Amino acid sequence: MTNDSVLTIGLLWHSTNSDNLGIGALTASQIVILEEVAADLNVKLKFKILGWRDPEPSYIKGDNIEVVPMRARDLLSPSGLWSSARSCDLILDISAGDSFADIYGRQRFLYNIIAKTNVIASWRPLILSPQTIGPFQRWWTRLLATVAMRGAKKVVTRDKLSSDYLRELGLADRLIESTDVAMRLPYELPAPREDGNVRVGLNVSGLLFNGGYSQDNMFALSADYAAVIHALCEYFTNQPGVELHLLGHVNSHNHEVEDDYRVAEKLAAKYPSAVLAPRFESPSDAKTYIATMDFFAGARMHACIAAFSSGVPVLSMAYSRKFAGLFGTLGYDHLADCKAQTTEEIVEAVTSAFERREELKVDVENAFQEAERKLVHYQDYLREVMENTKRTA
């Protein structure tokens, strides 16, 4: 580093243009948090975004942001990720929030392991930013993950379940528990409304609706997710004074199986009184829209976080332990479990939560205060590391 007032931060497995607005939300929020810490330290930051190549235009821009798109071969070449890591003072790896696990398949797991190994081999400090850790269901994935995490300075979890899992793996000395950085995603406060309608936001996961990447109930859901969505559309479109909004949080032009918008579009055609939300141009645009809802339900976790962190009563429809882990750690236990409950039970859970939305709103406000408190743990650690890096560089 040539100037002790400038630090170059590598943001691994982040994205400025992902179709998955949840990943974009993590990136935008991470930058906001880092810039706040840097301002306290009188340090200027440069960011290198290290993630997969994506053809979409960037929705996160700045003069101090450089995108270094990767291909699979860059994980194995000395001129690829290893070289990029060497040019940074510090690497923050967020694993796209929940990808440091083996439930998404062997390939994604190995990409994560190889990337972390590259950074460790570059002799640059590696911090695993707030994320879900695991599960690692096979002995060899558990072993490789444990070795990789031992090479990190710290592993910051976003939930108690992940923290307990780290302790089981013998990694308590690496642990800090925080919460999801997307709690800090900027958005515009909604204007007051006087139309008297109750707005219900329903986020439809294209991935679950289509049966996962394998299209054969990849996530082993006990409920028929498509049937749940149709039942909820029927219910809300037949409620007097209720305005149902169908919205996507993953808008993929290239991978139809993942695309929320195409499913929402088909549902809007079947239920013409429903409002089809636009394809959002950025994570903050999505959060600004979600903030106008009076109640929200969804199966994309960052759509639910957008509702939660803007004060909207929300019920998540979970397909992995990351939902219960994140929200449960904050004391917000309103959840439907698509892996344990029946179709009818999930529909009942959503409609019951809607009827109790004023109660949920109070719980959201209290739990969000806990989220803010937990984020301070992460910020304080970043301040310590950045101050030490500035002093020794």
Side-chain angles (χ1 to χ4, degrees):
M1 188 170 66
T2 57
N3 187 330
D4 63 5
S5 66
V6 179
L7 293 177
T8 300
I9 310 293
L11 298 180
L12 180 59
W13 300 129
H14 293 65
S15 175
T16 64
N17 63 345
S18 175
D19 290 336
N20 186 332
L21 296 180
I23 299 175
L26 291 171
T27 305
S29 305
Q30 182 91 285
I31 290 172
V32 166
I33 290 169
L34 286 162
E35 291 280 23
E36 185 177 320
V37 173
D40 289 345
L41 296 175
N42 196 28
V43 170
K44 292 182 179 180
L45 299 181
K46 292 182 179 179
F47 298 103
K48 288 196 174 186
I49 311 297
L50 307 168
W52 293 128
R53 292 176 181 269
D54 196 305
E56 300 300 320
S58 177
Y59 43 70
I60 302 171
K61 299 177 182 178
D63 293 339
N64 63 339
I65 298 174
E66 177 188 358
V67 177
V68 185
M70 296 191 302
R71 296 173 179 162
R73 67 190 185 197
D74 293 317
L75 298 178
L76 300 174
S77 169
S79 61
L81 176 58
W82 183 85
S83 178
S84 295
R86 290 284 298 169
S87 67
C88 298
D89 298 298
L90 177 67
I91 307 290
L92 304 182
D93 176 357
I94 209 159
S95 304
D98 69 340
S99 288
F100 195 29
D102 58 10
I103 61 172
Y104 295 108
R106 180 178 303 180
Q107 184 180 68
R108 188 184 298 193
F109 171 79
L110 289 174
Y111 283 152
N112 264 278
I113 288 294
I114 295 168
K116 289 167 176 55
T117 302
N118 266 271
V119 176
I120 294 166
S122 75
W123 292 99
R124 292 295 182 263
L126 170 66
I127 297 170
L128 271 59
S129 291
Q131 60 190 272
T132 300
I133 303 295
F136 305 109
Q137 299 169 326
R138 303 165 181 85
W139 71 267
W140 63 271
T141 58
R142 199 157 46 247
L143 175 62
L144 290 177
T146 302
V147 171
M149 287 187 283
R150 285 217 170 275
K153 285 179 67 67
K154 286 292 179 184
V155 180
V156 188
T157 66
R158 61 184 182 182
D159 63 271
K160 185 177 183 298
L161 292 177
S162 293
S163 300
D164 290 344
Y165 194 54
L166 276 182
R167 294 185 184 99
E168 288 177 18
L169 296 175
L171 293 166
D173 60 321
R174 294 290 192 276
L175 170 65
I176 294 176
E177 185 175 293
S178 183
T179 192
D180 196 291
V181 296
M183 298 290 179
R184 290 282 181 83
L185 180 68
Y187 71 105
E188 294 180 17
L189 291 170
R193 299 196 327 266
E194 298 179 355
D195 59 11
N197 289 334
V198 177
R199 295 189 182 184
V200 173
L202 181 61
N203 159 238
V204 183
S205 167
L207 188 61
L208 296 189
F209 200 92
N210 292 314
Y213 297 112
S214 61
Q215 301 184 50
D216 62 355
N217 193 19
M218 174 183 175
F219 296 105
L221 304 185
S222 57
D224 182 335
Y225 178 79
V228 168
I229 294 300
H230 282 292
L232 292 175
C233 287
E234 289 279 359
Y235 175 83
F236 287 118
T237 55
N238 283 293
Q239 292 294 307
V242 171
E243 190 176 278
L244 176 64
H245 292 248
L246 299 167
L247 59 97
H249 210 252
V250 174
N251 298 316
S252 180
H253 296 286
N254 300 318
H255 303 287
E256 184 172 353
V257 71
E258 287 192 276
D259 188 30
D260 298 354
Y261 185 82
R262 271 176 271 204
V263 176
E265 195 172 35
K266 291 174 182 175
L267 290 167
K270 182 175 176 63
Y271 305 97
S273 65
V275 177
L276 176 64
R279 281 188 183 268
F280 300 115
E281 294 185 1
S282 73
S284 289
D285 287 343
K287 185 172 181 177
T288 296
Y289 190 101
I290 290 169
T292 68
M293 299 294 110
D294 298 299
F295 175 76
F296 190 83
R300 295 290 191 182
M301 194 167 82
H302 278 97
C304 295
I305 289 173
F308 176 89
S309 60
S310 58
V312 177
V314 56
L315 189 85
S316 299
M317 290 184 278
Y319 65 91
S320 80
R321 69 171 172 81
K322 65 182 180 180
F323 291 85
L326 177 76
F327 291 112
T329 299
L330 301 175
Y332 189 79
D333 297 318
H334 303 288
L335 183 81
D337 189 341
C338 293
K339 289 177 71 71
Q341 293 177 289
T342 66
T343 300
E344 293 75 18
E345 288 171 335
I346 292 171
V347 173
E348 169 62 24
V350 175
T351 56
S352 173
F354 168 71
E355 295 295 335
R356 297 180 294 109
R357 59 189 178 277
E358 292 304 321
E359 173 192 333
L360 268 64
K361 188 172 181 63
V362 173
D363 291 345
V364 163
E365 291 168 357
N366 292 333
F368 184 66
Q369 293 179 12
E370 178 66 5
E372 286 283 87
R373 187 184 70 80
K374 282 185 169 292
L375 270 176
V376 171
H377 298 165
Y378 179 52
Q379 282 183 287
D380 286 347
Y381 180 68
L382 288 177
R383 184 176 288 106
E384 175 189 330
V385 171
M386 289 165 63
E387 193 166 27
N388 289 339
T389 304
K390 174 188 174 183
R391 188 180 302 121
T392 59

